[in-house]
């Protein structure tokens, strides 16, 4: 398992950097300016991501075949809350005078979709591959719930001391709950293909457009004046502390292999790339720190992901 996971995780992260490099190039060459990035961010948050979430749930979720489906979203909710707790304790012990909300956000919210799916798709799963893919996708529901509520709040509360529920009721969250209600009420395959096809086409643009925005954000951000103390703290929490906590709990609880497999993959992930898109869309003040944290954690995850998946492989054997 270790050589396979090392190869697939390295390739997955490299692909993310390659797509982000296109956005970096387009902005650096002046083809896309800051206004263009803001427009792409708006389209990502309000159109492409909602359609992507809606299609994945409608197409892959079947509550009858997954009676314990509700446990998979809880995996990511637990990981986000654990990361938030660890980051909060760090802030209390070592006071963070700058980027406090952004530090909490990038330390607790992880890249729950693209890399986990790529790793799962690359493993020799045999007849279980469809079930594994579905479980990973369903687990993303828990992450999206946290991202588009807690994440948006953390990155926007500097403008308002109170939690603005209007910002938490956004298109991605609404599309997620709409898809869940449809499937749970009417069952799978209720939405005709003639409707799903354009939704899928638009949703497929979410990753590409999102990566262009992230690469463009990095081009506009300062990667030379990095706050290494806080970025190092984020990296340790995301890439070392959370995977170790998860490995320890899995060794004690002896959960279902499928649940534990999804849990360890999600626990190893770097900071969520979508935070960069949210920061641009809501004009978050400290976007440089968010982009720096995303860049560094993804770079280091090329080493840490295969290491922890290898340790997990030894744990379950």
């Amino acid at each position: 398992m270790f050589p396979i996971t090392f190869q697939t995780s390295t390739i997955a992260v490299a692909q993310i950097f390659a797509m982000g490099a296109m956005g970096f190039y387009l902005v650096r060459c002046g083809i896309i300016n800051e206004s263009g990035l803001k427009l792409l961010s708006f389209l990502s948050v309000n159109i492409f991501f909602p359609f992507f979430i809606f299609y994945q749930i409608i197409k892959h979720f079947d509550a009858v075949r997954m009676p314990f489906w509700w446990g998979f979203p809880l995996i990511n909710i637990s990981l986000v809350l654990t990361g938030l707790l660890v980051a909060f304790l760090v802030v209390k012990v070592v006071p963070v005078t700058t980027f406090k909300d952004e530090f909490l956000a990038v330390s607790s919210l992880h890249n729950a979709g693209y890399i986990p799916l790529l790793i799962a798709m690359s493993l020799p799963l045999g007849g279980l591959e469809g079930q594994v893919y579905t479980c990973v996708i369903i687990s993303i529901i828990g992450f999206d719930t946290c991202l588009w509520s807690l994440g948006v709040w953390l990155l926007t509360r500097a403008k308002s001391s109170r939690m603005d529920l209007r910002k938490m009721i956004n298109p991605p969250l609404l599309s997620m709950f709409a898809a869940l209600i449809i499937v749970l009420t009417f069952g799978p395959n209720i939405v005709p293909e003639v409707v799903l096809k354009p939704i899928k086409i638009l949703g497929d643009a979410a990753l590409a457009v999102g990566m262009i925005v992230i690469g463009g954000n990095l081009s506009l951000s300062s990667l030379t004046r990095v706050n290494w103390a806080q970025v190092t703290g984020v990296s340790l929490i995301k890439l070392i502390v959370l995977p170790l906590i998860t490995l320890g709990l899995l060794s004690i609880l002896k959960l279902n292999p499928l649940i534990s497999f999804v849990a360890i993959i999600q626990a190893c992930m770097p900071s969520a790339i979508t935070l960069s898109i949210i920061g641009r869309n809501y004009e978050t003040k400290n976007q440089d720190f968010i982009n720096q944290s995303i860049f560094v954690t993804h770079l280091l995850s090329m080493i840490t992901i295969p290491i922890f998946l290898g340790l997990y492989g030894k744990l379950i054997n």
Side-chain angles (χ1 to χ4, degrees), residues 213-242:
V213 173
I214 291 163
N217 285 346
L218 288 173
S219 180
L220 295 175
S221 302
S222 172
L223 294 178
T224 56
R225 297 188 299 274
V226 179
N227 188 321
W228 286 110
Q230 291 186 208
V231 171
T232 300
V234 171
S235 302
L236 289 174
I237 293 171
K238 293 298 313 150
L239 304 178
I240 305 296
V241 176
L242 277 179

Side-chain angles (χ1 to χ4, degrees), residues 25-33:
Y25 171 80
L26 291 173
V27 172
R28 185 54 59 94
C29 293
I31 299 174
I32 298 177
N33 57 20

Side-chain angles (χ1 to χ4, degrees), residues 298-314:
H298 275 77
L299 188 63
L300 294 178
S301 71
M302 297 179 72
I303 301 171
T304 59
I305 290 175
I307 288 176
F308 280 104
L309 289 181
L311 291 174
Y312 170 76
K314 292 182 178 180

Side-chain angles (χ1 to χ4, degrees), residues 3-64:
I4 295 175
T5 55
F6 183 89
Q7 178 184 6
T8 54
S9 59
T10 301
I11 291 174
V13 179
Q15 288 174 330
I16 285 179
F17 273 90
M19 288 187 287
M22 176 59 68
F24 187 96
Y25 171 80
L26 291 173
V27 172
R28 185 54 59 94
C29 293
I31 299 174
I32 298 177
N33 57 20
E34 191 168 355
S35 298
L37 279 181
K38 189 172 182 180
L39 173 61
L40 291 177
S41 298
F42 176 85
L43 293 174
S44 295
V45 171
N46 294 282
I47 297 178
F48 299 135
F49 274 111
F51 281 153
F52 174 80
I53 293 168
F54 185 86
Y55 177 83
Q56 296 302 325
I57 295 175
I58 290 292
K59 194 68 176 178
H60 297 284
F61 177 44
D62 186 347
V64 175

Side-chain angles (χ1 to χ4, degrees), residues 67-290:
F68 299 105
W69 64 269
W70 48 268
F72 290 97
L74 290 178
I75 291 173
N76 274 328
I77 293 174
S78 300
L79 287 171
V80 170
L81 294 179
T82 302
L84 184 64
L85 176 61
V86 173
F88 184 76
L89 292 175
V90 170
V91 169
K92 287 296 184 181
V93 175
V94 184
V96 177
T97 56
T98 56
F99 319 136
K100 180 179 178 180
D101 291 337
E102 292 80 2
F103 180 85
L104 294 174
V106 293
S107 296
S108 58
L109 293 156
H110 56 282
N111 191 338
Y114 182 60
I115 300 180
L117 279 173
L118 274 181
I119 293 175
M121 289 176 182
S122 302
L123 294 175
L125 301 173
L128 294 175
E129 57 184 18
Q131 187 178 3
V132 173
Y133 302 161
T134 303
C135 291
V136 173
I137 290 170
I138 294 302
S139 74
I140 300 173
I141 295 173
F143 168 77
D144 282 339
T145 302
C146 295
L147 174 69
W148 299 105
S149 56
L150 176 66
V152 171
W153 177 63
L154 284 173
L155 296 187
T156 59
R157 71 170 181 165
K159 299 178 181 179
S160 175
S161 58
R162 297 184 302 172
M163 182 178 288
D164 190 348
L165 295 179
R166 291 173 300 178
K167 292 177 180 176
M168 296 172 63
I169 303 174
N170 45 58
L173 207 59
L174 290 175
S175 71
M176 179 182 63
F177 286 120
L180 282 174
I181 291 171
I182 290 173
V183 175
L184 291 174
T185 304
F186 302 103
N189 303 318
I190 191 65
V191 181
E193 193 63 31
V194 67
V195 176
L196 279 182
K197 188 170 183 179
I199 291 176
K200 180 182 185 301
I201 293 172
L202 287 169
D204 285 342
L207 179 62
V209 175
M211 291 311 305
I212 289 176
V213 173
I214 291 163
N217 285 346
L218 288 173
S219 180
L220 295 175
S221 302
S222 172
L223 294 178
T224 56
R225 297 188 299 274
V226 179
N227 188 321
W228 286 110
Q230 291 186 208
V231 171
T232 300
V234 171
S235 302
L236 289 174
I237 293 171
K238 293 298 313 150
L239 304 178
I240 305 296
V241 176
L242 277 179
L244 285 176
I245 291 175
T246 304
L247 275 176
L249 290 175
L250 292 178
S251 65
I252 296 171
L253 298 176
K254 305 295 182 183
L255 299 173
N256 176 282
L258 194 52
I259 293 177
S260 62
F261 177 72
V262 174
I264 191 60
I265 284 185
Q266 296 289 4
C268 293
M269 292 301 106
S271 298
I273 57 177
T274 317
L275 290 172
S276 178
I277 299 172
I278 294 173
R280 176 64 61 181
N281 184 66
Y282 289 102
E283 299 181 340
T284 301
K285 183 178 180 180
N286 299 312
Q287 292 185 45
D288 279 1
F289 174 73
I290 296 172

